[in-house]
Amino acid sequence: MTTSRTDAPSRWIHQYAHPLVTFDPEGPLADLAPLRDMVRDANLVTLGASARDTYELSAVSQRILRFLVEALEFRSLVLEGDDITSIALDEYVRTGIGDPRALLAGARSFWRTRELLDVVGWMRRHNEQNPADPVRIANVAGISRRVAPLPDNLGDIERLLADNTIRWHEHTGHKIVYWGGMAHMVNGRTRALSTATPEDVDRSAGSYLREHFGSDHRSVGLTFHHGSASYAVPAPPADFVDATLGSTDMDAYLLDLHAPSPDPVREWLNRPAKTRLVGPAYNPAEDAVRHLSGGSLAEWFDVIVHFQEVTPAHSLDV
């Protein structure tokens, strides 16, 4: 039986994907072992989450952080979105001074989760056990002793996010994990955010990071097919990449987009792509006009971590 061009990507994903067998953020890491070859000698691994307030994408981010710290000597985490809180959280993970729950409770809405509190707690425990080789939470504002206001222009914000990460790398020499939103982390020189008319087309922070780090940068996309965050998210439109990524029978998997592939799959990976924009507010009826485009899956990411179904993250207020 021949494989049609439309089902070739699904068959390829099923052949090359590595199933994830646990969602426990502090569970065994053996199922992430294939990630070692995928990131190889990278100095920067970016995690671009398609939704910031789901348990599964948060838990797998902590598992990937643990793996990169324990197996590949990564030593800094960039938490996108709140420079002032990052300074205080870094002091906590280094010294134990401060109240991380209180710090996160006053931070951006997508930071106010028990999942992120667990990440900070794990980093503190790691440093207690390894005082001579601590992990850090990146805080460029702490280096310069001042907190610069975010620019009003989205393009300038993207540039600033990248520049701050580059400065932290130059200051510390650390291998860095950057955990942020997908719209910022895709490697997209012509990334388009379709949230209004006309489209907002800017270079993403991820593209500036790729330009600076080159082959030392790996871009990981954290995607899902359906489920719920602080609202219900149904199955994606059929022409979105999320739909194809969810067309297998696997609950969760890790996929190297550089794995050997036949021509129909290469064509799919390199064609113009669209994916959902799931932010603090989301209406599935607007997927056709509110989405991320302006590049291909192969341009945006090196690795995909996909979940078929997600559930809400746990609020610190509960």
Side-chain angles (χ1 to χ4, degrees):
M1 182 176 66
T2 60
T3 301
S4 74
R5 300 187 83 81
T6 55
D7 66 11
S10 297
R11 292 174 181 266
W12 176 76
I13 293 169
H14 195 275
Q15 178 180 1
Y16 284 99
H18 302 274
L20 298 178
V21 300
T22 179
F23 299 167
D24 181 354
E26 299 205 24
L29 299 174
D31 57 344
L32 290 178
L35 190 61
R36 182 189 296 270
D37 289 336
M38 296 179 196
V39 303
R40 297 189 291 277
D41 298 322
N43 286 317
L44 172 68
V45 171
T46 54
L47 307 179
S50 57
R52 302 291 291 272
D53 54 353
T54 73
Y55 167 74
E56 288 76 10
L57 298 189
S58 298
V60 80
S61 296
Q62 180 175 346
R63 297 187 70 231
I64 291 172
L65 173 66
R66 285 181 53 216
F67 179 83
L68 294 175
V69 167
E70 294 174 5
L72 295 175
E73 299 183 342
F74 280 68
R75 289 297 180 265
S76 280
L77 171 66
V78 175
L79 289 172
E80 180 184 276
D82 193 323
D83 290 340
I84 295 176
T85 305
S86 289
I87 297 172
L89 289 175
D90 182 55
E91 181 176 22
Y92 172 75
V93 300
R94 287 187 297 108
T95 68
I97 297 172
D99 181 347
R101 176 182 283 271
L103 292 170
L104 292 174
R108 299 286 295 276
S109 61
F110 51 79
W111 283 30
R112 298 197 293 263
T113 67
R114 279 186 273 163
E115 285 75 15
L116 188 49
L117 181 62
D118 288 344
V119 171
V120 174
W122 174 81
M123 294 179 72
R124 176 61 193 150
R125 292 193 300 275
H126 178 277
N127 287 346
E128 289 174 330
Q129 297 165 9
N130 302 275
D133 188 21
V135 292
R136 301 281 304 274
I137 291 178
N139 57 100
V140 170
I143 298 174
S144 61
R145 300 300 178 186
R146 67 183 184 89
V147 179
L150 277 178
D152 295 328
N153 178 273
L154 179 59
D156 291 338
I157 290 173
E158 300 294 335
R159 177 81 255 190
L160 179 64
L161 292 174
D163 285 347
N164 283 348
T165 304
I166 292 166
R167 287 181 61 198
W168 183 258
H169 176 70
E170 293 172 344
H171 176 73
T172 63
H174 284 181
K175 292 183 176 183
I176 297 171
V177 181
Y178 187 125
W179 182 11
M182 178 179 287
H184 299 301
M185 287 297 95
V186 293
N187 171 34
R189 286 180 171 269
T190 56
R191 179 212 57 190
L193 302 180
S194 300
T195 58
T197 302
E199 288 184 327
D200 192 347
V201 179
D202 294 287
R203 285 189 64 176
S204 65
S207 76
Y208 290 115
L209 293 170
R210 178 60 57 91
E211 181 177 73
H212 179 84
F213 286 93
S215 61
D216 288 339
H217 168 224
R218 295 292 183 278
S219 176
V220 180
L222 308 178
T223 65
F224 70 98
H225 186 265
H226 66 275
S228 56
S230 51
Y231 34 74
V233 183
D239 61 335
F240 281 32
V241 292
D242 324 55
T244 303
L245 293 170
S247 62
T248 73
D249 59 358
M250 288 179 282
D251 292 332
Y253 62 79
L254 179 69
L255 176 68
D256 184 358
L257 296 185
H258 300 291
S261 58
D263 288 345
V265 174
R266 277 292 121 193
E267 178 185 312
W268 171 70
L269 288 170
N270 288 296
R271 74 174 56 153
K274 291 190 291 186
T275 187
R276 292 175 298 203
L277 284 175
V278 181
Y282 172 72
N283 181 353
E286 298 179 351
D287 279 336
V289 295
R290 294 177 60 88
H291 58 263
L292 176 68
S293 61
S296 68
L297 197 63
E299 175 190 2
W300 287 342
F301 302 116
D302 300 293
V303 177
I304 289 290
V305 177
H306 182 80
F307 285 80
Q308 191 67 7
E309 184 173 5
V310 295
T311 57
H314 300 86
S315 172
L316 282 177
D317 299 329
V318 177

